[in-house]
């Protein structure tokens, strides 16, 4: 059985440092995101900010909304680290939402 869709408000500020931050148990249980880091993407002339997440779910489509509000998408086909690079005048992440990309009834054999 696939994971349910979710939508959750968060307060993930974008910082000058790229330190990992563990998510709360509520965020982890709803989203499958174990930790994140949102930071200024120094030295990159194309994108000002970077959001990295570590997930414990595969085949999942995530959406992240910043303070502007603009929304950025990410498809995670496997568990692990994933990155979204973006530009924003208000780069902190305010909401995370997503949905399972597996067909209904598809069993997760990795557990």
């Amino acid at each position: 059985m696939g994971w349910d869709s979710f939508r959750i408000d968060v307060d993930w500020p974008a910082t000058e440092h790229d330190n990992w931050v563990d998510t709360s148990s509520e965020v982890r249980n709803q989203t499958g995101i174990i930790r994140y880091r949102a930071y200024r993407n120094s030295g990159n002339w194309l994108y000002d900010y970077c959001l990295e997440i570590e997930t414990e779910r595969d085949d999942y489509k995530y959406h992240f909304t910043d303070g502007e509000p603009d929304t950025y998408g990410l498809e995670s086909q496997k568990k692990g680290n994933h990155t979204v690079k973006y530009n924003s005048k208000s780069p902190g992440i305010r909401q995370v939402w997503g949905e399972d990309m597996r067909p209904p009834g598809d069993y997760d054999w990795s557990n």
Side-chain angles (χ1 to χ4, degrees), residues 9-13 36 93-95:
D9 292 331
V10 297
D11 183 15
W12 296 356
Y36 74 91
I93 302 301
R94 302 292 175 240
Q95 190 173 74

Side-chain angles (χ1 to χ4, degrees), residues 4-25:
D4 291 334
S5 296
F6 66 86
R7 183 178 298 263
I8 187 169
D9 292 331
V10 297
D11 183 15
W12 296 356
T15 67
E16 295 296 322
H17 308 287
D18 62 352
N19 299 327
W20 285 101
V21 178
D22 292 334
T23 59
S24 68
S25 58

Side-chain angles (χ1 to χ4, degrees), residues 1-90:
M1 174 186 294
W3 297 86
D4 291 334
S5 296
F6 66 86
R7 183 178 298 263
I8 187 169
D9 292 331
V10 297
D11 183 15
W12 296 356
T15 67
E16 295 296 322
H17 308 287
D18 62 352
N19 299 327
W20 285 101
V21 178
D22 292 334
T23 59
S24 68
S25 58
E26 176 187 13
V27 169
R28 184 173 180 169
N29 290 339
Q30 287 191 39
T31 69
I33 298 173
I34 300 166
R35 61 186 185 156
Y36 74 91
R37 56 185 177 181
Y39 57 92
R40 179 173 283 287
N41 197 21
S42 300
N44 186 306
W45 58 270
L46 191 54
Y47 296 105
D48 294 333
Y49 293 94
C50 188
L51 171 66
E52 295 181 64
I53 61 169
E54 181 180 349
T55 66
E56 58 186 5
R57 294 184 185 171
D58 53 9
D59 292 325
Y60 224 80
K61 184 181 289 187
Y62 291 98
H63 307 274
F64 304 93
T65 303
D66 67 12
E68 286 201 38
D70 286 336
T71 300
Y72 314 98
L74 167 68
E75 291 185 8
S76 100
Q77 296 178 345
K78 61 180 182 167
K79 299 171 186 175
N81 295 348
H82 307 280
T83 304
V84 174
K85 295 179 181 176
Y86 61 102
N87 292 314
S88 178
K89 289 181 174 42
S90 183

